[in-house]
Amino acid sequence: ISRLLAFCRERIGVPGVLNLDIEGLEGEIVRDMDLAANPIALLCIEHFLSDFCDARSATAYAGSPLVRHLEDRGYCLVAICGVSLIFARGDAYRPFA
């Protein structure tokens, strides 16, 4: 993913949106991404509750290692649509502004 993002950055700039749905490898890919060098404004990531807990409530996503990883890098979980989580980079997200 780092090489792909570097290629995009060099040719057209940092993508504004990235959608990840790669059959269970999303967490691994996100951990390998250099989000400081590639400050993508919006991330849409497929992530099942069953990947990290037995809960059935959307609030359980707060305990997800993937969510915490992205929050530590300046992203906010702004929406849950089925099994897709929508994250916005904190400095790019202006709710109700």
Side-chain angles (χ1 to χ4, degrees), residues 4 19 21 31-32 34-35 38 41 43 46 48 50 62 70 73 77 79 81 85 90-91 93:
L4 176 61
N19 182 33
D21 177 0
R31 283 187 295 279
D32 288 342
D34 183 354
L35 292 169
N38 301 291
L43 300 171
E46 183 181 72
F48 292 90
S50 60
L70 288 168
R73 280 146 187 83
L77 176 59
C81 184
L85 306 184
D91 63 346
Y93 182 57

Side-chain angles (χ1 to χ4, degrees), residues 9-94:
R9 189 177 59 244
E10 291 168 9
R11 299 292 193 295
I12 59 172
V14 175
V17 177
L18 178 66
N19 182 33
L20 287 177
D21 177 0
I22 47 178
E23 306 313 315
L25 296 174
E26 294 83 6
E28 196 173 318
I29 294 296
V30 168
R31 283 187 295 279
D32 288 342
M33 290 172 53
D34 183 354
L35 292 169
N38 301 291
I40 301 163
L42 290 173
L43 300 171
C44 178
I45 303 170
E46 183 181 72
H47 188 41
F48 292 90
L49 280 171
S50 60
D51 288 349
F52 64 94
C53 73
D54 294 327
R56 294 185 178 261
S57 170
T59 59
Y61 278 111
S64 163
L66 174 68
V67 171
R68 288 193 311 263
H69 175 82
L70 288 168
E71 287 174 344
D72 289 345
R73 280 146 187 83
Y75 284 82
C76 304
L77 176 59
V78 297
I80 300 171
C81 184
V83 295
S84 294
L85 306 184
I86 312 296
F87 295 88
R89 202 179 71 235
D91 63 346
Y93 182 57
R94 303 282 187 265

